[in-house]
Amino acid sequence: MSAETAFISPRRPKAKASWRGRITRRILTGMLVLWAAVTLSFISVYLAPGDIVSLLMGEQVHTPAIEAAIRAEWGLDQPLYLQYLHYLWRVLHGDFGRSYMLNTDVSSLVLSQLWPTLKLTGLALVVSLVFAVLMAVTTAHRRWGQRIAGSVELILASTPSFWLGIVLLFIFSFTLRWFPVAGDRSFSSLVLPAFSLGLAQGAVVSQVLRRGLEDALDEPFVLTLRAWGLGNTVIRLRHALRHAALPAVTLTGWLIGGLLSGAVITEQVFGRPGLGKITVDAVLGKDLPVVLAVAIFSALVYVVLSTLVDILYLFIDPRLRDAPAAGEENS
């Protein structure tokens, strides 16, 4: 038994399988969120001012053939509840209709641009977490480090990602010529966008992680580890960091949402392909089917990643795997 687990309360035998219920409930909650996102997208079409056919057609030239195709696709001659069920059925099968502005299938269009956005978001998430861990581990309980790190984190957290991106472009692309200015041809073109998008969120996570790490370093098991002769770095990285990680992991759910929304602007600054570009083009061109599809796909990505983060709790803290969930304590 390790030093830190010696201070954890004994396991409850009847709660051994509670982690399965937690995962199931989290997946069901994610499905409910997705259903709400699809329902809101359907309602938004009918609450928007103007004729539905004109909204879906956008700035495309109106012709009787296109209007008839839209009415057939959305079942506008049927009762509203049947239109809703038909829309749900299409979305469940990955059918988001057709963009009459671009004359292409919306699902194919969004999927073709989803991977560049996921690459950017994923690398930005890595940048955020690595930055947060490095700042927290090196400055926790160190007064001089806290002052320097606090100033850096305040600057980064209050700096818009697009402005930081412009500064990084000026320094590393136009002046030093280390990275390409735009495009998505290689990994090097992904570095500056990921840093401009991830550093601000990483600064916020760093503050939370440092506070949790300082609390963990004050726990009794740390004294035991020091008595065993373990070094300060080993204690921070292998033992205290795991105890401090839960609040930071909770904040990672917010972090994912911020990265997805920030990717729209960052892709524009760096001239990258992705959901940001097609979203801006769709909004400017009033291409409603594309806007709705991007909103639903973004909700899907957010729910999947947030669910994985919640499941990660169970692997970080073994107490959560054994503790009964809400409503199970009296069963």
Side-chain angles (χ1 to χ4, degrees):
M1 180 181 296
S2 61
E4 67 268 28
T5 56
F7 294 91
I8 298 175
S9 59
R11 297 183 177 182
R12 302 181 183 182
K14 69 174 184 178
K16 288 183 178 179
S18 64
W19 62 273
R20 296 186 182 90
R22 291 174 182 272
I23 293 177
T24 301
R25 278 188 291 274
R26 187 60 186 88
I27 293 175
L28 292 177
T29 301
M31 294 174 63
L32 181 63
V33 172
L34 286 177
W35 169 77
V38 174
T39 302
L40 288 175
S41 67
F42 176 83
I43 294 175
S44 65
V45 175
Y46 288 85
L47 293 182
D51 180 60
I52 296 178
V53 175
S54 300
L55 290 173
L56 295 173
M57 194 176 300
E59 296 182 349
Q60 173 71 20
V61 177
H62 290 214
T63 64
I66 295 179
E67 292 183 4
I70 292 177
R71 292 185 181 279
E73 178 184 336
W74 285 74
L76 297 179
D77 56 342
Q78 299 176 351
L80 185 60
Y81 75 94
L82 289 180
Q83 296 179 34
Y84 173 67
L85 294 177
H86 179 63
Y87 181 72
L88 280 180
W89 181 258
R90 289 197 296 118
V91 170
L92 286 174
H93 288 77
D95 181 9
F96 291 89
R98 189 169 187 81
S99 169
Y100 294 94
M101 286 289 299
L102 302 176
N103 193 28
T104 185
D105 181 69
V106 173
S107 300
S108 300
L109 175 64
V110 173
L111 287 175
S112 67
Q113 300 299 314
L114 183 61
W115 176 238
T117 298
L118 289 180
K119 285 195 301 183
L120 174 58
T121 304
L123 186 57
L125 179 62
V126 172
V127 170
S128 299
L129 297 180
V130 171
F131 175 82
V133 170
L134 287 177
M135 293 291 283
V137 170
T138 57
T139 62
H141 274 331
R142 291 169 178 165
R143 184 173 301 176
W144 60 270
Q146 290 179 348
R147 293 177 179 176
I148 297 175
S151 300
V152 173
E153 291 162 356
L154 178 61
I155 294 173
L156 290 176
S158 58
T159 301
S161 60
F162 71 89
W163 190 87
L164 181 58
I166 294 174
V167 173
L168 293 178
L169 278 175
F170 176 77
I171 297 175
F172 296 102
S173 294
F174 297 121
T175 304
L176 299 177
R177 301 183 183 276
W178 289 355
F179 299 98
V181 176
D184 186 29
R185 297 182 180 179
S186 62
F187 178 79
S188 60
S189 64
L190 192 61
V191 174
L192 293 184
F195 271 86
S196 66
L197 182 59
L199 285 179
Q201 279 81 1
V204 178
V205 177
S206 175
Q207 296 174 356
V208 176
L209 186 59
R210 183 188 301 108
R211 188 175 298 110
L213 190 59
E214 290 175 346
D215 292 339
L217 290 173
D218 292 332
E219 292 292 330
F221 74 84
V222 174
L223 296 177
T224 304
L225 293 172
R226 295 186 192 279
W228 287 355
L230 295 182
N232 190 41
T233 302
V234 174
I235 293 175
R236 288 171 180 251
L237 289 176
R238 293 187 56 183
H239 301 277
L241 186 60
R242 186 174 66 177
H243 286 259
L246 275 182
V249 171
T250 303
L251 194 61
T252 304
W254 161 85
L255 175 63
I256 293 172
L259 293 176
L260 286 174
S261 59
V264 175
I265 301 177
T266 303
E267 288 173 350
Q268 294 295 304
V269 172
F270 288 90
R272 291 181 51 82
L275 294 181
K277 184 179 186 304
I278 65 172
T279 301
V280 173
D281 293 342
V283 171
L284 295 178
K286 299 179 181 179
D287 197 348
L288 189 58
V290 175
V291 175
L292 295 179
V294 170
I296 294 174
F297 268 96
S298 299
L300 174 63
V301 172
Y302 175 77
V303 166
V304 170
L305 295 180
S306 298
T307 301
L308 293 177
V309 168
D310 286 348
I311 294 175
L312 184 61
Y313 293 171
L314 303 177
F315 296 93
I316 294 177
D317 193 340
R319 292 171 295 184
L320 296 179
R321 294 198 295 266
D322 302 324
E328 294 182 357
E329 295 184 358
N330 297 325
S331 61

